[in-house]
Amino acid sequence: MLITEDVPTEILEKILLNVDLQGVARCCQVCRRFHDIIVNSISIQYRLELAVDGFTDGPPGGLTVGDRLRALRDRRKNWMTMQPTSRKVVFSQDRDYASPARVVRMGAPSRGISEKESVYTGFTVETSRWNAEEDVLVFELESPSESSTPHLRFLSLATQESHSKAFKHTVAFDEFPNYSDGCTVMLWEVFYSYIGFMTRTRTGDVDSLAVYDWKSGTFILTVTSEDSFGYIFPSERYLLLVYLDEDLSPEFATMSAVDLLKVQKQGGDSGLPIEFFVDTLDTNIITCHFLTCYFRLLNASRGLSVQIYFSPKVWHPQGHDTQVPFHVGDSRLLALYFNTDDDDGVAMFIPCATIMWHIEQAEADPSKDRVEWSGLGVTGTRIVGHGQIYHDNFCGMTAFVQQNTFGPTLSVPMYLYNFTPSFVRKCLADTSVGRAPPGVEYSSQSECNDPRFGSRQGMVTKLPAYRVEIPLRLLVHPTHPNDLKMTGVVPWDDGLVIFFRPVDPNQQREYHILSF
């Protein structure tokens, strides 16, 4: 009879590399030999530590497994000790347009991603959006003449030329079905192959969203409401619409998941975009066919409007960047902002994986299409006061920066929170036995303690995180601390972007890109 002592170590190592992570943890406790193989195997340790950090392995290249493991550990150490490996300063004039336009890809030394800067001449750019995974850069360009409207231009990030997969290289604002004379363009975003284009009527009483597929050149959906609403695309298949419903309860908001595959099929058959009206979204027999799931979200501050933000899908470098040892995992956060009449309120953070899990459950069993706050909220979200966070964007990282008072200040600590589940569990284990690095803490809950929230003051939400204090040395301008003041901090996959605004309005703003 064959026993484990007869099996060569190399064979056991290969077997363990194909065991799930919980199985590896159990095998580590079976016997001394299994324990030693797991602890001493660089390949197994690399796989375990990738999972703990929430990362995925990179493409085959010239790096050994040992090189990758060292890079992974160095990156983790730099984050936990807040020791950036590089600082890039980008200067910007305080103006509403750019010509020529500069696009800076931030470098990541720990992952071997080089910095890249591209300059686009011949354009006067009002705003821009991009999606690195789709290799698309979209410029909003000023009107070429008084009789025309601004337009969107689709370019390739890699080649800086017109995007080869775009059905049209230029789309004018007046081609969007929700654009009319006198309306205000509230915002537009690019997600996957979609452009979401939001407008408000001249009288300010109706908001409208048009969804454009820039690869096929079709408008697939319009959404209209007499109240403000927000939207994001958590995946290529689904659109999330979030809105307040005073008829149901001022204490709650609704988030509905729209199946875009069904929308495109129906629209393709008719040749026209499907029309949704938010006021009748879940009661209209026709639109209900396209809805997969509804979420009831707590409007803790009784906000008068709600917005939702979400970063694009995490970028996996291609081409010359194929030596990248590992990729940041796709465990992003949805951020919802409930705004009060004084433009304040609360922010709610929900893992995208939680939302997608409920959507998948509803797809498999339509009786599970209603997700109440009681089944989601207290343990599955994190709610904080608006004034406590910097929330310009998230760049794919499951993190936000929080301060302990309202308004930017250096008088109290600022923290970087990360919600990657596996790493949070490791942080809890390390903290419990005293192995966590100085300054790293496990955060089990958040208390919304602003007295402006009335009966909701003191509300606790328990989505766990780990946090690390951002040291003062990073928040003070390194050479002109009295002339440039920190106004915001935004995390990205491999570092922090710190905003400095000059005391003298005639001086340039500075963006300090810190890489870890």
Side-chain angles (χ1 to χ4, degrees):
M1 182 179 71
L2 183 68
I3 58 177
T4 56
E5 284 75 8
D6 298 324
V7 181
T9 297
E10 295 80 5
I11 300 299
L12 287 174
E13 181 180 9
K14 289 183 178 180
I15 293 172
L16 289 168
L17 281 169
N18 290 282
V19 176
D20 64 67
L21 298 180
Q22 289 184 340
V24 172
R26 287 193 292 267
C27 287
C28 196
Q29 303 174 34
V30 168
C31 63
R32 170 67 67 178
R33 189 181 183 206
F34 278 19
H35 174 273
D36 291 344
I37 291 173
I38 292 169
V39 170
N40 295 319
S41 168
I42 293 176
S43 296
I44 293 176
Q45 288 301 308
Y46 177 60
R47 181 167 173 254
L48 290 172
E49 294 192 33
L50 271 180
V52 166
D53 285 5
F55 293 169
T56 58
D57 197 14
L63 296 174
T64 66
V65 176
D67 292 336
R68 294 169 185 245
L69 181 58
R70 281 190 292 274
L72 182 66
R73 289 173 173 174
D74 287 345
R75 182 186 189 279
R76 185 189 311 128
K77 179 182 177 181
N78 292 337
W79 268 112
M80 286 190 158
T81 58
M82 283 284 117
Q83 295 287 344
T85 57
S86 66
R87 180 190 292 256
K88 162 84 173 180
V89 181
V90 176
F91 300 92
S92 174
Q93 298 287 350
D94 194 1
R95 60 189 186 188
D96 296 330
Y97 63 90
S99 179
R102 299 169 61 202
V103 176
V104 178
R105 184 185 73 185
M106 297 178 283
S110 65
R111 293 200 292 141
I113 300 176
S114 59
E115 178 190 304
K116 180 181 178 181
E117 181 172 334
S118 303
V119 179
Y120 295 81
T121 59
F123 301 110
T124 300
V125 179
E126 299 283 349
T127 59
S128 63
R129 300 288 188 272
W130 59 88
N131 188 311
E133 195 71 14
E134 294 287 349
D135 183 41
V136 63
L137 170 66
V138 187
F139 284 153
E140 177 187 330
L141 304 180
E142 64 179 5
S143 307
S145 65
E146 292 184 2
S147 60
S148 61
T149 61
H151 53 280
L152 303 181
R153 177 68 186 273
F154 295 85
L155 301 165
S156 164
L157 282 166
T159 67
Q160 301 182 40
E161 303 293 335
S162 296
H163 202 292
S164 60
K165 294 183 180 180
F167 185 83
K168 295 174 64 176
H169 297 148
T170 300
V171 178
F173 279 16
D174 58 8
E175 294 182 58
F176 285 83
N178 58 337
Y179 186 88
S180 60
D181 289 340
C183 78
T184 300
V185 178
M186 303 299 294
L187 61 92
W188 60 270
E189 300 285 351
V190 56
F191 290 94
Y192 306 102
S193 62
Y194 305 118
I195 292 287
F197 190 82
M198 180 81 80
T199 62
R200 179 169 292 169
T201 57
R202 183 200 301 266
T203 55
D205 56 352
V206 176
D207 286 358
S208 182
L209 167 70
V211 178
Y212 173 69
D213 187 329
W214 56 268
K215 290 184 178 179
S216 66
T218 56
F219 294 96
I220 64 173
L221 177 68
T222 62
V223 183
T224 304
S225 175
E226 294 183 355
D227 298 305
S228 67
F229 66 96
Y231 74 96
I232 56 105
F233 298 87
S235 71
E236 292 182 86
R237 178 170 178 177
Y238 294 102
L239 166 69
L240 290 180
L241 300 172
V242 59
Y243 45 93
L244 301 178
D245 192 336
E246 292 288 341
D247 293 335
L248 290 175
S249 171
E251 292 191 1
F252 291 93
T254 300
M255 185 165 65
S256 299
V258 180
D259 189 332
L260 294 174
L261 288 183
K262 295 179 180 179
V263 170
Q264 288 175 303
K265 183 180 185 304
Q266 183 77 15
D269 294 341
S270 66
L272 298 172
I274 302 297
E275 294 184 347
F276 282 9
F277 297 94
V278 169
D279 299 337
T280 60
L281 197 58
D282 59 351
T283 58
N284 185 291
I285 296 176
I286 297 176
T287 57
C288 280
H289 167 69
F290 304 108
L291 301 180
T292 300
C293 194
Y294 305 86
F295 298 85
R296 293 271 279 166
L297 304 174
L298 184 67
N299 180 8
S301 60
R302 289 178 174 261
L304 303 178
S305 64
V306 60
Q307 298 169 294
I308 185 169
Y309 294 93
F310 192 50
S311 62
K313 187 177 179 181
V314 174
W315 174 53
H316 287 180
Q318 306 292 329
H320 296 298
D321 293 302
T322 52
Q323 297 297 315
V324 174
F326 43 82
H327 298 308
V328 176
D330 191 18
S331 53
R332 296 167 288 169
L333 290 176
L334 276 68
L336 296 104
Y337 300 97
F338 295 91
N339 303 304
T340 57
D341 54 3
D342 57 356
D343 199 29
D344 215 320
V346 299
M348 176 187 297
F349 295 91
I350 311 174
C352 181
T354 300
I355 299 298
M356 294 306 299
W357 183 84
H358 283 290
I359 291 175
E360 291 167 4
Q361 292 293 304
E363 282 284 357
D365 182 357
S367 68
K368 298 180 180 179
D369 66 340
R370 306 277 173 169
V371 182
E372 297 297 331
W373 173 252
S374 58
L376 174 70
V378 172
T379 58
T381 68
R382 179 71 74 111
I383 295 178
V384 296
H386 246 212
Q388 291 179 273
I389 60 171
Y390 294 114
H391 56 268
D392 291 30
N393 64 62
F394 299 92
C395 304
M397 189 174 179
T398 58
F400 65 80
V401 173
Q402 180 174 359
Q403 55 186 18
N404 285 344
T405 189
F406 297 94
T409 179
L410 299 180
S411 61
V412 295
M414 291 179 57
Y415 296 95
L416 174 73
Y417 283 73
N418 194 303
F419 295 87
T420 304
S422 53
F423 199 57
V424 171
R425 289 193 292 269
K426 182 179 186 303
C427 180
L428 174 60
D430 289 347
T431 302
S432 64
V433 296
R435 285 202 307 258
V440 176
E441 302 174 356
Y442 174 75
S443 173
S444 62
Q445 62 187 36
S446 178
E447 182 176 351
C448 203
N449 54 15
D450 188 342
R452 288 173 291 184
F453 302 148
S455 63
R456 296 294 180 186
Q457 182 183 358
M459 182 182 61
V460 172
T461 45
K462 298 182 179 180
L463 180 67
Y466 83 89
R467 74 178 191 178
V468 57
E469 183 177 343
I470 303 175
L472 189 63
R473 57 182 165 80
L474 299 182
L475 302 175
V476 174
H477 195 277
T479 57
H480 299 88
N482 296 323
D483 300 325
L484 290 119
K485 302 299 183 181
M486 185 276 295
T487 58
V489 182
V490 173
W492 57 288
D493 291 338
D494 294 285
L496 300 173
V497 180
I498 302 180
F499 303 93
F500 290 99
R501 183 176 291 275
V503 176
D504 182 353
N506 295 317
Q507 299 299 312
Q508 291 182 313
R509 290 177 291 177
E510 295 185 11
Y511 303 90
H512 289 226
I513 303 168
L514 309 182
S515 298
F516 293 87

